[in-house]
Amino acid sequence: MHTLFGCCLLLALLWGGNAGAQNIADIRVHDPVVIREGNTYHLFCTGRGIAHFTSPDLENWTEAAPVFPEKPTWTDTVVPDFGNHIWAPDVLLHNGLYYLFYSVSAFAKNTSAIGVATGKTLDPDAADYGWTDHGIVIRSYPNRDLWNAIDPNVIFDEAGTPWMSFGSFWNGLKLTKLDGSLTRLADDQEWHTIARRERSFELGDYNPGDAALEAPFIFKKGDWYYQFLSWDLCCRGENSTYKVVVGRSSRVEGPYFDREGKNLFYGGGTLVLQGNKNWYGAGHCSVYTFDGTDYMFFHAYDASDNARPKLGMSPISWTADGWPQVEPLN
């Protein structure tokens, strides 16, 4: 599930390529995604109206106005009296438009929907800046669906077909084909379960369950699609146990296998990052390549600062057999 704190206190850039070195910036962030337009990096994260920050260098950040100063009009039809606290965005550029996917949900329920908005630029000072909301892409309902419509991530396969991964708890993470407009599901719908963990059989369909996984992010490198995802519990301060695991597949649809050959459909996952005595949990990652270097962005809970969640950014190195590694949290 997602933050109870809003976009949470301080940004810690944890440079895995230089073990122990940290840069601290005084911004609030949770569930980060990043994109670069021109010479400016834009970070979007969970928060009221979707929080937005800009930076020239990934270190010094300036807060911009939220994407939605007022909540999208449709959100009350999903979550009555929705407070405009929007979770876990995903951002991409396609055919000259920026697409911002986002999650609307009630905490610990699959009373949820994924929406999408488009804009011509990310620069809040540009004359043509502004977001056009296209409403619901997909929606989940309690006691109907054993999946949760949150945590979207969109990727194009080698044929140019757009796919959206998403999900949290219940019966695992899903992948579904999008229409070419990226604003709705494809007419020839195709669904795949790309990761699961064991769920107690006796739990009711309304219950999130004990199969704790969420936040898929698929990153293409070489011949492989790497599915990063988060295991265990987010948003519980010192009781947070979030960690990042990974599997890979030669096809975006899967199946995905971990380094030991276990299918993620049957609970597989190779550990990439976890918390320690200084950081109570680390997860909800996104992965990008900037100037030839692959980076992982994530949030973690700082034991030295009242367990407040902070953002980490670490360069990724790759093993000889093609598996991602980041430096442990210090």
Side-chain angles (χ1 to χ4, degrees), residues 81-111:
D81 300 318
F82 183 64
N84 202 27
H85 188 242
I86 298 175
W87 299 348
D90 186 39
V91 63
L92 69 148
L93 176 65
H94 178 62
N95 289 341
L97 276 179
Y98 290 95
Y99 289 77
L100 189 65
F101 294 82
Y102 58 93
S103 310
V104 169
S105 183
F107 191 82
K109 298 180 180 180
N110 63 341
T111 304

Coordinates of all heavy atoms in Angstrom, one line a residue, residues 81-111:
D81 N -15.8 11.3 -1.4 CA -15.1 12.4 -0.7 C -13.6 12.3 -0.8 O -12.8 12.5 0.2 CB -15.5 12.5 0.8 CG -17.0 12.7 0.9 OD1 -17.5 13.6 0.2 OD2 -17.6 12.0 1.8
F82 N -13.1 11.9 -1.9 CA -11.7 11.7 -2.1 C -10.9 13.0 -1.8 O -11.3 14.1 -2.1 CB -11.4 11.4 -3.6 CG -9.9 11.1 -3.9 CD1 -9.3 10.0 -3.3 CD2 -9.2 11.9 -4.8 CE1 -8.0 9.7 -3.6 CE2 -7.9 11.6 -5.1 CZ -7.3 10.6 -4.5
G83 N -9.8 12.9 -1.0 CA -9.1 14.0 -0.5 C -8.0 14.5 -1.4 O -7.2 15.4 -1.0
N84 N -7.9 14.1 -2.7 CA -6.9 14.5 -3.6 C -5.5 14.1 -3.3 O -4.5 14.6 -3.7 CB -7.0 16.0 -3.9 CG -6.3 16.4 -5.2 OD1 -6.3 15.6 -6.2 ND2 -5.8 17.6 -5.3
H85 N -5.4 13.1 -2.4 CA -4.1 12.5 -2.1 C -3.9 11.3 -3.1 O -4.4 10.2 -2.9 CB -4.1 12.0 -0.7 CG -2.7 11.5 -0.2 ND1 -2.4 10.3 0.2 CD2 -1.6 12.2 -0.1 CE1 -1.1 10.2 0.5 NE2 -0.6 11.4 0.3
I86 N -3.1 11.6 -4.1 CA -2.9 10.7 -5.3 C -1.6 10.0 -5.2 O -0.6 10.6 -4.8 CB -3.0 11.5 -6.6 CG1 -4.4 12.2 -6.7 CG2 -2.8 10.6 -7.8 CD1 -4.5 13.1 -7.9
W87 N -1.7 8.7 -5.4 CA -0.5 7.8 -5.2 C 0.2 7.5 -6.5 O -0.4 7.5 -7.6 CB -1.0 6.5 -4.6 CG -1.7 6.5 -3.3 CD1 -1.8 7.6 -2.5 CD2 -2.4 5.4 -2.7 NE1 -2.5 7.2 -1.3 CE2 -2.9 5.9 -1.5 CE3 -2.7 4.1 -3.1 CZ2 -3.7 5.1 -0.6 CZ3 -3.5 3.3 -2.3 CH2 -3.9 3.8 -1.1
A88 N 1.5 7.2 -6.3 CA 2.3 6.4 -7.2 C 2.1 6.7 -8.7 O 1.6 5.9 -9.4 CB 2.0 4.9 -6.9
P89 N 2.6 7.8 -9.1 CA 2.5 8.2 -10.6 C 3.5 7.4 -11.4 O 4.5 6.8 -10.9 CB 2.7 9.7 -10.6 CG 3.6 9.9 -9.4 CD 3.2 9.0 -8.4
D90 N 3.3 7.5 -12.7 CA 4.3 7.0 -13.7 C 4.3 8.1 -14.8 O 3.2 8.5 -15.2 CB 4.0 5.6 -14.2 CG 5.1 5.1 -15.1 OD1 6.2 5.3 -14.8 OD2 4.7 4.5 -16.2
V91 N 5.4 8.4 -15.4 CA 5.5 9.4 -16.4 C 6.3 9.0 -17.6 O 7.3 8.3 -17.4 CB 6.1 10.7 -15.8 CG1 7.5 10.6 -15.3 CG2 6.0 11.9 -16.7
L92 N 5.9 9.3 -18.8 CA 6.7 9.0 -20.0 C 6.3 10.0 -21.1 O 5.3 10.7 -21.0 CB 6.4 7.6 -20.4 CG 5.0 7.3 -21.0 CD1 5.0 6.3 -22.1 CD2 4.0 6.8 -19.9
L93 N 7.2 10.0 -22.1 CA 7.0 10.9 -23.3 C 6.8 9.9 -24.4 O 7.5 9.0 -24.7 CB 8.3 11.7 -23.6 CG 8.3 12.5 -24.8 CD1 7.2 13.6 -24.8 CD2 9.7 13.1 -25.1
H94 N 5.7 10.2 -25.2 CA 5.3 9.4 -26.3 C 4.7 10.3 -27.4 O 3.7 11.0 -27.2 CB 4.3 8.3 -25.9 CG 3.9 7.4 -27.0 ND1 4.7 6.6 -27.7 CD2 2.6 7.2 -27.5 CE1 4.0 5.9 -28.7 NE2 2.8 6.3 -28.6
N95 N 5.3 10.2 -28.6 CA 4.7 11.0 -29.7 C 4.5 12.4 -29.4 O 3.5 13.0 -29.8 CB 3.4 10.3 -30.3 CG 3.7 9.0 -31.0 OD1 4.8 8.7 -31.4 ND2 2.6 8.2 -31.1
G96 N 5.5 13.0 -28.7 CA 5.4 14.4 -28.4 C 4.5 14.9 -27.3 O 4.4 16.1 -27.0
L97 N 3.9 13.9 -26.6 CA 3.1 14.2 -25.4 C 3.7 13.5 -24.2 O 4.2 12.4 -24.3 CB 1.6 13.7 -25.6 CG 0.7 14.6 -26.4 CD1 -0.7 13.9 -26.5 CD2 0.5 16.0 -25.7
Y98 N 3.6 14.2 -23.0 CA 3.9 13.6 -21.8 C 2.6 12.9 -21.2 O 1.5 13.6 -21.2 CB 4.5 14.6 -20.8 CG 5.8 15.1 -21.2 CD1 6.0 16.2 -22.0 CD2 7.0 14.3 -20.9 CE1 7.3 16.7 -22.4 CE2 8.2 14.7 -21.3 CZ 8.4 15.9 -22.0 OH 9.6 16.3 -22.4
Y99 N 2.8 11.7 -20.8 CA 1.7 11.0 -20.1 C 2.0 10.8 -18.7 O 3.1 10.3 -18.3 CB 1.5 9.6 -20.8 CG 0.9 9.7 -22.2 CD1 1.7 10.1 -23.3 CD2 -0.4 9.4 -22.5 CE1 1.2 10.2 -24.6 CE2 -1.0 9.5 -23.7 CZ -0.1 9.9 -24.8 OH -0.7 10.0 -26.1
L100 N 1.0 11.1 -17.8 CA 1.2 10.9 -16.4 C 0.1 10.0 -15.9 O -1.1 10.4 -15.8 CB 1.2 12.3 -15.7 CG 1.5 12.3 -14.2 CD1 3.0 11.9 -14.0 CD2 1.3 13.7 -13.6
F101 N 0.4 8.8 -15.6 CA -0.5 7.9 -15.0 C -0.5 8.0 -13.5 O 0.5 8.3 -12.9 CB -0.1 6.4 -15.4 CG -0.3 6.2 -16.9 CD1 0.7 6.5 -17.8 CD2 -1.4 5.5 -17.4 CE1 0.6 6.3 -19.1 CE2 -1.6 5.3 -18.7 CZ -0.6 5.7 -19.6
Y102 N -1.6 7.7 -12.8 CA -1.7 7.9 -11.4 C -2.7 7.0 -10.7 O -3.6 6.5 -11.4 CB -1.9 9.4 -11.0 CG -3.2 9.9 -11.6 CD1 -4.4 9.9 -10.9 CD2 -3.2 10.5 -12.9 CE1 -5.6 10.4 -11.5 CE2 -4.4 11.0 -13.5 CZ -5.6 11.0 -12.8 OH -6.7 11.4 -13.3
S103 N -2.7 6.9 -9.4 CA -3.5 6.0 -8.7 C -4.4 6.7 -7.7 O -4.0 7.6 -7.0 CB -2.6 5.0 -7.8 OG -1.6 4.4 -8.6
V104 N -5.7 6.3 -7.7 CA -6.7 6.8 -6.8 C -7.2 5.6 -6.0 O -7.7 4.7 -6.7 CB -7.8 7.5 -7.6 CG1 -9.0 7.8 -6.6 CG2 -7.3 8.8 -8.2
S105 N -7.2 5.7 -4.7 CA -7.5 4.5 -4.0 C -7.9 4.8 -2.5 O -7.5 5.8 -2.0 CB -6.4 3.4 -4.0 OG -6.7 2.2 -3.3
A106 N -8.6 3.9 -1.9 CA -8.8 3.9 -0.5 C -7.8 3.0 0.2 O -7.5 1.9 -0.3 CB -10.2 3.4 -0.1
F107 N -7.2 3.4 1.2 CA -6.0 2.7 1.8 C -6.5 1.3 2.2 O -7.5 1.1 2.9 CB -5.5 3.4 3.0 CG -4.2 2.9 3.5 CD1 -3.0 3.2 2.9 CD2 -4.1 2.0 4.6 CE1 -1.8 2.7 3.3 CE2 -2.9 1.4 5.0 CZ -1.8 1.8 4.4
A108 N -5.7 0.3 1.9 CA -5.9 -1.1 2.2 C -7.2 -1.7 1.6 O -7.7 -2.7 2.1 CB -5.9 -1.3 3.7
K109 N -7.7 -1.1 0.6 CA -8.8 -1.6 -0.2 C -8.5 -1.6 -1.7 O -7.7 -0.7 -2.1 CB -10.1 -0.8 0.1 CG -10.5 -0.8 1.6 CD -11.8 0.1 1.8 CE -12.2 0.1 3.2 NZ -13.4 0.9 3.4
N110 N -9.2 -2.5 -2.4 CA -9.0 -2.3 -3.9 C -10.2 -1.6 -4.5 O -10.6 -1.8 -5.6 CB -8.8 -3.7 -4.5 CG -9.9 -4.7 -4.4 OD1 -10.8 -4.5 -3.5 ND2 -10.0 -5.7 -5.2
T111 N -10.6 -0.6 -3.7 CA -11.5 0.4 -4.2 C -10.6 1.4 -4.9 O -10.2 2.5 -4.3 CB -12.3 1.1 -3.1 OG1 -13.0 0.1 -2.3 CG2 -13.3 2.2 -3.6

